[in-house]
Amino acid sequence: MKIYGDERSGNCLKVRWTCDFLGLGYEWVEVLALTGATDQDWFRALNPAGQVPCVQWPDGRVLAQSNAIIWHLAETSSLIPTDPFARAKMLEWLFWEQYSHEPYLAVRRARIHLMGLDPASLDPALLSRGLAALKVMDTTLNAQDWFSGADFGLADIALLPYTRFAPQGGYDLAAFPAVTRWIGACERHLRLQALVAATL
Amino acid sequence: MKIYGDERSGNCLKVRWTCDFLGLGYEWVEVLALTGATDQDWFRALNPAGQVPCVQWPDGRVLAQSNAIIWHLAETSSLIPTDPFARAKMLEWLFWEQYSHEPYLAVRRARIHLMGLDPASLDPALLSRGLAALKVMDTTLNAQDWFSGADFGLADIALLPYTRFAPQGGYDLAAFPAVTRWIGACERHLRLQALVAATL
């Protein structure tokens, strides 16, 4: 399996970390999203939506959308609960991450950390909505240890990268102690310290 | 089961239409999202993310995020393919809808049709990115009949409301003939003509 991804993208790291956790082999094909590589014809032929990550199997099948990919890779693993309602609650967090978390935390981090823009030039809603998302996470983590039910699982992997990278977007995690504890716990599960440091 | 929803919201209509298609009983509790009802304490106690739709079962369990709800309701039905890869491709479309379709088509429609804003006052990216999403859909529908695999299914229900409402957001569907055909086919499956007309 080939993973087409940009290693600075949290969406792409979700796929790598899921594979690493499950011991699935892959070839990583680096695609620099910010330089327009995902708009090129060869990439659009692979994924018409023009987005990384996407994965391709040797028989030609292609799957896109980070959370759909990791769901498929992990479907029969311990990362997804077997109880239907617990599974649906995990899916709830995966959709929340893409709609109410990533569009603020990832976008502000990309503009500041990857594109070098002045924070003062950015839409203030990126900051306020990102902080609101972190507050939802912190409140949740005061009542439960994980976003995936009783144990560490796929929703934790999905929420980790852009939460971990939040300080690069100017978000102060000191105001969210439960989130900070959860990041450390996730990293211990994924044995990620070296890998995360390498991608900062 | 109670559905807390705003009947002008496509995300909420997805849940209603899935229940109607599957013959599932429910009580609809109207929550006017645009007037701030979802920010009130009683609603935040139900769904800390402060978003409709959410559903509650008689035993107290609550599930939010439109696509997670419809996935759970339909999990054992013909609306979701049994083949794991086909199921993952459907999930890909559900995530794409929330990330690359709804934030443009639904938001521009809400600002113009529900809030009465002048289209000229809106971010031009809402129009261009919405049109890009419609183009991805049209291209896809020139190669396949449905977004859910071989048959009508959950991804079609998820993509239908805000695509159907696109003209209310100033998007001209005449440029997307395959999308227009698909809307009609979906409506025949859902027997929606009367219901859609009632919610315009």
Side-chain angles (χ1 to χ4, degrees):
Chain A
M1 184 182 76
K2 287 182 181 175
I3 302 174
Y4 293 85
D6 183 327
E7 68 172 9
R8 300 163 308 170
S9 152
N11 285 326
C12 298
L13 290 176
K14 294 174 197 174
V15 180
R16 177 188 278 182
W17 294 349
T18 300
C19 286
D20 290 346
F21 184 84
L22 295 174
L24 304 174
Y26 57 86
E27 175 188 350
W28 182 273
V29 182
E30 186 72 11
V31 179
L32 294 173
L34 282 180
T35 59
T38 51
D39 278 329
Q40 292 176 4
D41 289 345
W42 74 269
F43 189 81
R44 288 267 179 191
L46 202 63
N47 178 15
Q51 295 163 332
V52 284
C54 71
V55 299
Q56 186 175 37
W57 282 270
D59 63 7
R61 286 176 303 137
V62 175
L63 187 62
Q65 295 293 323
S66 58
N67 289 350
I69 295 169
I70 62 175
W71 182 275
H72 183 58
L73 294 175
E75 195 162 11
T76 58
S77 79
S78 63
L79 289 173
I80 297 183
T82 53
D83 172 70
F85 185 72
R87 207 159 53 225
K89 290 298 286 183
M90 174 184 284
L91 204 48
E92 176 186 323
W93 283 112
L94 297 189
F95 281 110
W96 180 83
E97 187 266 338
Q98 284 287 285
Y99 193 81
S100 299
H101 181 282
E102 200 267 13
Y104 310 115
L105 290 155
V107 169
R108 197 168 198 271
R109 176 245 182 186
R111 297 203 176 150
I112 294 172
H113 183 70
L114 303 180
M115 299 165 71
L117 298 182
D118 177 359
S121 72
L122 303 177
D123 180 355
L126 288 177
L127 182 61
S128 61
R129 293 183 183 175
L131 291 171
L134 290 167
K135 184 163 185 288
V136 167
M137 290 179 71
D138 208 64
T139 301
T140 301
L141 290 168
N142 279 321
Q144 60 193 63
D145 289 338
W146 306 107
F147 290 100
S148 305
D151 298 304
F152 171 81
L154 206 64
D156 301 289
I157 293 180
L159 281 161
L160 181 61
Y162 290 119
T163 308
R164 177 67 182 74
F165 292 155
Q168 297 178 346
Y171 302 94
D172 183 1
L173 291 180
F176 306 103
V179 169
T180 303
R181 283 195 304 274
W182 166 84
I183 289 172
C186 286
E187 290 181 350
R188 284 189 292 280
H189 264 272
L190 291 171
R191 303 175 190 278
L192 271 185
Q193 289 86 337
L195 182 57
V196 169
T199 59
L200 285 181
Chain B
M1 184 182 76
K2 287 183 180 175
I3 303 175
Y4 293 86
D6 183 326
E7 67 171 10
R8 302 164 306 170
S9 152
N11 285 326
C12 298
L13 290 176
K14 294 175 198 174
V15 179
R16 177 189 279 182
W17 294 351
T18 300
C19 286
D20 290 346
F21 184 84
L22 295 174
L24 304 174
Y26 58 87
E27 176 189 348
W28 182 274
V29 182
E30 185 71 11
V31 179
L32 295 173
L34 282 180
T35 60
T38 50
D39 278 330
Q40 293 175 5
D41 289 345
W42 73 270
F43 189 81
R44 288 267 179 190
L46 203 63
N47 179 13
Q51 295 163 333
V52 285
C54 70
V55 300
Q56 186 174 38
W57 282 270
D59 62 8
R61 286 175 303 138
V62 175
L63 187 62
Q65 296 292 322
S66 58
N67 289 350
I69 295 169
I70 62 175
W71 182 275
H72 184 57
L73 295 174
E75 195 164 9
T76 57
S77 80
S78 63
L79 290 173
I80 298 182
T82 53
D83 172 70
F85 185 72
R87 207 159 53 225
K89 291 299 286 185
M90 174 184 283
L91 205 48
E92 176 186 323
W93 282 113
L94 295 189
F95 281 109
W96 181 83
E97 187 266 340
Q98 284 287 287
Y99 193 80
S100 299
H101 181 282
E102 201 266 15
Y104 311 114
L105 291 155
V107 169
R108 197 167 197 271
R109 176 245 182 185
R111 297 204 176 150
I112 294 172
H113 183 71
L114 303 180
M115 300 165 71
L117 299 182
D118 178 357
S121 71
L122 304 177
D123 180 354
L126 288 177
L127 182 60
S128 61
R129 292 183 184 174
L131 291 171
L134 290 167
K135 184 163 185 287
V136 168
M137 291 180 70
D138 209 64
T139 301
T140 302
L141 290 168
N142 280 321
Q144 62 193 62
D145 290 338
W146 306 107
F147 290 100
S148 305
D151 298 305
F152 171 81
L154 206 66
D156 300 289
I157 293 179
L159 281 161
L160 182 61
Y162 290 119
T163 308
R164 177 68 183 74
F165 292 154
Q168 297 178 345
Y171 302 94
D172 184 1
L173 290 180
F176 307 101
V179 168
T180 303
R181 283 196 304 273
W182 166 84
I183 289 172
C186 287
E187 289 181 350
R188 284 189 292 278
H189 264 272
L190 290 171
R191 302 174 189 279
L192 273 184
Q193 289 88 337
L195 181 58
V196 169
T199 58
L200 284 182

